[in-house]
Amino acid sequence: MGPVTTNPWLISIINMTIVFGVLAALGVLMKIIQLVDPTQKKTEKPVAAPAPAAAPAAVAAPAAVAAPVQDDSEVIAVIAAAVAALGHSAEDIAYVRRLPEAGWTQNARIEAISVRKECF
């Protein structure tokens, strides 16, 4: 067996060098994977269009974009499959509706407040 050191500072420096070396190698590996990623969509540079000769004096305001209607049929099918996996029938489901996103935020705030009260 080779020389063994008992100096704790030397041991910690060797260990930290190994850890940061491995982290640097992983960072380089991630950059390489990002560069050669076949699933990443390639973006083409847009061709510059010629500038218009005269801009119109009054530009119409863009039309308000309506929120896209979400197709919840897949979500409903997954919920029905989960209920069926529990041993119930699809008739046991009264209705399925999407809750507004604010419900998650409100619940997280209430939970954070209640946990904070328990800590003090």
Side-chain angles (χ1 to χ4, degrees):
M1 184 142 83
V4 178
T5 181
T6 57
N7 185 355
W9 291 105
L10 182 62
I11 293 172
S12 65
I13 289 173
I14 291 171
N15 288 338
M16 287 194 301
T17 304
I18 291 171
V19 167
F20 284 113
V22 170
L23 288 175
L26 287 174
V28 169
L29 180 66
M30 288 188 321
K31 290 292 184 183
I32 292 172
I33 290 174
Q34 184 180 11
L35 290 175
V36 296
D37 185 16
T39 60
Q40 184 179 19
K41 292 183 179 181
K42 304 294 181 194
T43 57
E44 295 181 16
K45 295 180 181 176
V47 178
V59 177
V65 179
V69 177
Q70 294 180 348
D71 182 23
D72 291 340
S73 59
E74 292 181 16
V75 175
I76 293 172
V78 170
I79 292 172
V83 170
L86 291 174
H88 299 284
S89 65
E91 290 80 26
D92 293 342
I93 302 174
Y95 61 91
V96 176
R97 64 183 171 95
R98 184 177 297 274
L99 293 176
E101 298 296 328
W104 290 97
T105 305
Q106 185 68 22
N107 188 24
R109 289 178 183 160
I110 292 170
E111 184 177 349
I113 290 170
S114 66
V115 169
R116 191 175 354 171
K117 287 180 182 176
E118 291 174 3
C119 291
F120 296 110

